[in-house]
Amino acid sequence: LERFLAPYFAKRGMAAAIVHREKRPKVPTAEEMKHLMHQAILRNKQVIDWVETRKEFDPKRIGVLGTSMGGINGAMLVGVDPRINCAVLALAGCDIPYILAKSKDKGVQRYQKSYMGEHGVSSDEMYEQLKMLLEWDPKNLAPYVDPGRELLILGVCDKVVPFKKGMELRRAMGGPETKLVLSGHYTAVLYIFDIRHSAYQFFKKKFKE
């Protein structure tokens, strides 16, 4: 998805960098998940550090665009890095332990089954394990976000990142501008051109302020 979006912005005069995401273990433990999320924050901050060293970029106009897990990571990043001017966060939400342990999506449920089988725990115990260890969560960083600098794009039928968790993130962030699409998580691809246009217009507006 990022490789579809990035050229669109680049052709319109916005430099676009795709941040590499390391592969995770097939069934990460809560401790491994905590490490992966922390590393994601550090990787993104390193990219911003690099941008600030380049004369061809404007470090005062830095935007973040993330979808799904990228949107969740972006929601945390904007809470810890004040250098970000604005962000578009699509199909994101908060309460990661809930998303991982309670999501009704078939793909996530396969992960749940593997996790519970490998660690010998129930769904509720899985949730409690993750809740105890995963302090990196958008809801914990939402109070440090400027809602006037964020655009949320949520799928009202999303079961992977449940829509109610997207709205919970919106409330925690103080009610940023929000666009709703009548789709699930994966079927949001049907709105990709609209999402891309909305993200571009949002960045364009915020970079002028």
Side-chain angles (χ1 to χ4, degrees), residues 125-149:
E125 289 170 333
M126 176 183 175
Y127 175 62
E128 291 301 326
Q129 283 184 4
L130 294 172
K131 192 166 67 170
M132 285 177 61
L133 282 171
L134 297 185
E135 70 267 25
W136 287 102
D137 193 291
K139 67 180 179 182
N140 297 333
L141 296 168
Y144 307 102
V145 171
D146 178 357
R149 294 290 174 179

Side-chain angles (χ1 to χ4, degrees), residues 55-161:
K55 293 182 180 179
E56 65 267 36
F57 301 143
D58 183 352
K60 293 183 179 179
R61 294 192 295 175
I62 296 176
V64 170
L65 170 63
T67 60
S68 192
M69 192 63 200
I72 291 172
N73 287 335
M76 293 188 288
L77 183 65
V78 295
V80 299
D81 200 319
R83 296 173 294 179
I84 297 169
N85 182 263
C86 54
V88 177
L89 310 169
L91 308 175
C94 63
D95 196 355
I96 295 171
Y98 181 93
I99 294 169
L100 292 175
K102 302 294 184 179
S103 173
K104 300 302 182 183
D105 173 73
K106 290 183 179 179
V108 181
Q109 286 182 326
R110 285 194 293 270
Y111 169 75
Q112 293 165 0
K113 185 177 179 180
S114 297
Y115 185 102
M116 290 186 289
E118 186 164 319
H119 301 293
V121 296
S122 67
S123 174
D124 289 340
E125 289 170 333
M126 176 183 175
Y127 175 62
E128 291 301 326
Q129 283 184 4
L130 294 172
K131 192 166 67 170
M132 285 177 61
L133 282 171
L134 297 185
E135 70 267 25
W136 287 102
D137 193 291
K139 67 180 179 182
N140 297 333
L141 296 168
Y144 307 102
V145 171
D146 178 357
R149 294 290 174 179
E150 321 304 322
L151 169 63
L152 293 183
I153 302 176
L154 305 176
V156 297
C157 302
D158 197 339
K159 293 183 179 179
V160 179
V161 180

Side-chain angles (χ1 to χ4, degrees), residues 163-183:
F163 176 64
K164 67 178 182 178
K165 291 299 175 180
M167 292 302 290
E168 186 177 323
L169 175 62
R170 184 179 188 274
R171 290 190 295 271
M173 283 184 163
E177 182 178 343
T178 303
K179 179 182 180 68
L180 302 182
V181 293
L182 189 60
S183 77

